[in-house]
Amino acid sequence: MTLVEVMVASTVMALASVSSAQMWGDSVAWSRRVEERQELLRHIDADLRRREHALRQEAAVAAEQAPMPCSAATGWMLELLSRAGTVLPAGAEQHLEPAGVEGLEPEMVLVVVRSATHHIERRRLFSAAAHGLCLPVATQEVGT
């Protein structure tokens, strides 16, 4: 082999090694991002399940009493769901708000948990009437 052939071969070998190391580093970084995203999803879903479980337990006790107006039940649910949540990992934010049909009193609570860095959004809608805390609007009008 001539000196030129040796230099070209070593250059090709060096470029292949650098390229391989860069691809390996990128795959490790991608794997870590996927793992972090999955862990965040587990935390968010566990938080939402914990809130729903607390609501079901408290609603079972509250439903044995006389049904309250849906607006009062929504306020009660909003307070309970905000207390039942856990501390989410950094980068995740939660938002709770009353929700319902436009023009009527809110009868539901919308829980939204987002993470902008991982492009995740989970939404859960909790209804007071579905948990037996109040009578639906149609039933309230008929009963009055």
Side-chain angles (χ1 to χ4, degrees), residues 34-137:
V34 167
E35 188 177 316
E36 288 172 3
R37 187 174 197 279
Q38 289 300 321
E39 187 64 27
L40 181 61
L41 280 169
R42 276 192 290 275
H43 278 288
I44 290 172
D45 289 341
D47 177 68
L48 290 171
R49 282 192 308 272
R50 190 172 292 113
R51 289 176 198 257
E52 185 173 359
H53 180 71
L55 178 61
R56 286 178 192 241
Q57 283 185 328
E58 293 293 325
V61 173
E64 293 175 0
Q65 302 166 0
M68 57 184 107
C70 283
S71 59
T74 302
W76 180 82
M77 280 189 349
L78 188 61
E79 182 184 328
L80 177 74
L81 289 171
S82 64
R83 280 184 299 155
T86 59
V87 176
L88 293 173
E93 60 182 39
Q94 58 188 359
H95 183 68
L96 285 80
E97 64 184 36
V101 179
E102 192 173 318
L104 297 175
E105 289 289 323
E107 298 178 0
M108 296 173 267
V109 175
L110 178 63
V111 178
V112 181
V113 183
R114 285 188 190 101
S115 171
T117 57
H118 294 288
H119 305 293
I120 295 172
E121 180 174 294
R122 290 284 200 251
R123 295 173 168 253
R124 293 293 185 272
L125 190 62
F126 298 97
S127 169
H131 286 87
L133 298 170
C134 69
L135 299 174
V137 173

Side-chain angles (χ1 to χ4, degrees), residues 18-30 32:
V18 168
S19 177
S20 173
Q22 193 172 28
M23 286 176 43
W24 180 81
D26 287 347
S27 79
V28 167
W30 178 82
R32 284 188 183 146

